[in-house]
Amino acid sequence: MREKICINDNWKFHYGDIISVRNRWAWGKSGSWNQGPESAGFDDTSWEDVTLPHDFVIKTEPYEYTKQEFNDADNAIPLMEDVGNIHTTAGSFAKNAGWYRKRFSLNKTDIGRRIYLVFDGVYRDMSLYLNEFYIGSHKSGYTGVTFDITDFVLYDDENILSVKTDAREAEGWFYEGGGIYRSVWILKTSPAHIKDVFADYTLDIDTKVASLNFKTEFENPNNEALSVTHYIINQNGDTVKTMTKNGDISKVLGTMENVHLWDIDNTYLYTVKTELISNGVVIDSYTVPLGFRTIEFSENGFYLNGKKTKIKGVCNHQNHGGIGTALTSEIFNYRIQKLKEMGANAYRCAHYWQGEAVLDACDRYGLMVMSENRLFQSADDDLTQLEFVVRNSRNHPSVILYSIGNEEAQSQTSKQSGRIAKTMVNTVKRLDSTRPVTMALLMWDLKHKKPLESVDMIMGIANEIDVAGFNYHDYRWEEFHNKKPHQPMIATEQDAIHSTRGIMKTDRALCHLALNDTDDVKHLAGVGQWQKTDSTDYVCGTFIWTGFDYYGEPTPYAWPAISSQFGVMDLCGYKKDTYYYYKSWWDNNTDTVHICTHWNLDEGTVENVHIFSNCDTVELFVNEKSCGKLEILKNGYALFENVKFEKGKISAIGYKNGIAVCKDEVKTADVPYRVKLSVDYEENDIFIIKAQINDCNGNTVPYADNEMLIDTPDAIFLGASNGDPSDHTLVTSKKRKAFCGLAQFIIKGKKGTKIAVTSNGIIGDDIII
């Protein structure tokens, strides 16, 4: 039977490349990898002990990026190299190579089985060696890879695995990390075994009857007589459908009545368990998720299960404060739950495969997914990467759309673009014909820094894809729609509302941007873009840029900033004021009113106060004195101008049909008094600890920057952050200043473990996690 074992523990790591005598004879003979870190006898005792997932780039000290000299005529996208503009691409962290080594054992009982190593993600250009044999390589930093190591393993003896990774080349223009940043597995199977199962179906939404067309790919080297059985298991663990077939087992047909629907508000999930049988004995078992739903993109909008639904999506990179790209499934769950709570109903994997953990979470919490390929290319290796994305997406009900590329400035207007798009679309459809294909097109020439002259310039691609994707430039929508009125459209990327969490006054030297800074060229840009999306019937929805701030692409300020400020949440997942604009209009189940100020201003200050709310009217009070009422139009907000600061309390009441339905209030904080710890999220052995600086009355002090020291004697410290885009503290440091009163520590440990934080001059805190 199949056995899959996670081997994330007990790795050794060396930062940087190792040049040794092996370079003279590396390819001279097979099995000649015995003169360097590939060698069984190599001494790695001085190497660092690490646990996967592991990102070694994020652990380096940030440095000021300097522009390399180049000939502008040869630069494909000069905008991305402009110092002082936005693109310190890697987030000012040093790229390098790294080596990993791991020892593991197999029993003699495993003889006769196929043995595989499965890498979920390595950034990047990895080379794998086992017991002094070269096994293979994988260049992509985003898709996973499986190696058959059956011929090279030792039984009842120590196996020595060596992995070289090299993060010095870029696949993207954003922070990408480095190393084995996802999980690694040993997979053991019988010689005849299942390679893949696609639980394909069509659904009659009125009768709730599904026509099943399950497809199985398998290995059968000894030409055994095989049969296959598919079990459909409901959420309660009950088998509700069984299908068995002998002979040609690659396709099994059937029907299922009274299916429960998967929806964004009711994520009913089945499991398909497939058993491979030889001579009456089950020799392999393979499971995939299954959710029954219908999707339709049309010129009149998007329909989920026959119901018109505006897509309220969020673009996200795969990095988080303090840990870079080394996100565990638990941290993905934390982030995706926050998006769901905001009212988002869709998630764009921008701009690459982000792992099964993301899709699993979106299946469970009800976010629809645009699964995106890294490069718009149709060469053999690129099609292999695309095939990986489709195969690993197609059983997830959350996935509603494939994207074959993003903002391909060089190739989207080329003469070859239509042919490339057609080959890529055909590759997708061959593997999964149930979902449409889009591409994030850009009506802008990044090389020459000017808009495209006509939508005709992208028609080579647009004529091949099912859904036309537009990044920004909503003023060109109508031009395209008039040319192709029956092609569905979606805003694959639009602005959110840029700002720095907790900042009330812009400070360019510190790279801090206030929400109410009207000098910002994109001041509240996301408001107008969402308003247009929501009011344009032929546009199926949007994906805002972004849900979370992320390392790299520091915007709107470059160094000393090392992260973007696009997000509606900061690097830690702490909510900015802008979060509440989207919650107001995306969360239809919650009455919302939110005051965009911390109300800790200088005496005599006059401030314009933004209120984000989905109420009909809001009333603002300063120390219980009314500042009046303002009406809020659909997808709008209230702006109370020239509100004079008075120490005390500012509050807002939201009314619907003249009845008060919700309230928000903010109090002026006193000086920092103590640290307050709480567990912001816990799952399995991952704990996300929120540290806030409070005054003596329990109010968070919004200007506090007290340095804290965390003590985790019985737990593993994974990293720390505070959401400050200009904080250069090493993520490995257990010292962290608060930023606007908050910081975050991520811990791996057992329940019952004590965590303590101290801070000079104020009272510390400790908790039992």
Side-chain angles (χ1 to χ4, degrees), residues 138 140 143-144 373 380-390:
H138 188 65
S140 172
T143 57
N373 187 56
D380 289 348
D381 186 60
D382 298 291
L383 293 179
T384 298
Q385 307 308 317
L386 175 60
E387 182 170 328
F388 179 94
V389 172
V390 177

Side-chain angles (χ1 to χ4, degrees), residues 76 101 122 180 326 329 385 423 478 513 524 602 615 617 672 681:
R101 281 168 59 88
V122 180
I180 309 177
S329 60
Q385 307 308 317
T423 297
E478 188 173 359
L513 175 64
L524 295 180
D602 296 329
C615 295
T617 58
Y681 185 80

Side-chain angles (χ1 to χ4, degrees), residues 648-663:
K649 181 176 72 174
I650 185 171
S651 56
I653 297 176
Y655 300 87
K656 285 187 175 180
N657 299 316
I659 300 172
V661 294
C662 53
K663 182 179 181 179

Side-chain angles (χ1 to χ4, degrees), residues 379-421:
D380 289 348
D381 186 60
D382 298 291
L383 293 179
T384 298
Q385 307 308 317
L386 175 60
E387 182 170 328
F388 179 94
V389 172
V390 177
R391 285 184 177 277
N392 289 276
S393 300
R394 61 186 181 177
N395 285 308
H396 291 274
S398 57
V399 175
I400 61 167
L401 189 63
Y402 294 113
S403 170
I404 57 174
N406 173 75
E407 293 186 3
E408 293 283 359
Q410 288 178 270
S411 55
Q412 68 173 6
T413 59
S414 68
K415 295 178 181 179
Q416 302 97 319
S417 63
R419 282 173 276 155
I420 295 170

Side-chain angles (χ1 to χ4, degrees), residues 162-216:
S162 301
V163 182
K164 179 186 175 183
T165 70
D166 195 335
R168 287 173 288 195
E169 289 188 6
E171 281 188 66
W173 55 98
F174 33 78
Y175 177 80
E176 299 185 278
I180 309 177
Y181 70 97
R182 293 184 188 145
S183 293
V184 181
W185 312 80
I186 293 176
L187 174 64
K188 306 174 185 179
T189 72
S190 61
H193 60 272
I194 298 167
K195 292 179 61 180
D196 196 12
V197 173
F198 180 23
D200 194 7
Y201 66 88
T202 57
L203 176 65
D204 187 316
I205 195 66
D206 295 320
T207 64
K208 306 295 190 298
V209 174
S211 298
L212 309 175
N213 181 10
F214 288 2
K215 301 162 186 174
T216 304

Side-chain angles (χ1 to χ4, degrees), residues 715-734:
I716 300 173
F717 173 76
L718 296 182
S721 183
N722 58 18
D724 182 356
S726 303
D727 185 9
H728 297 167
T729 308
L730 286 172
V731 301
T732 55
S733 172
K734 291 188 175 183

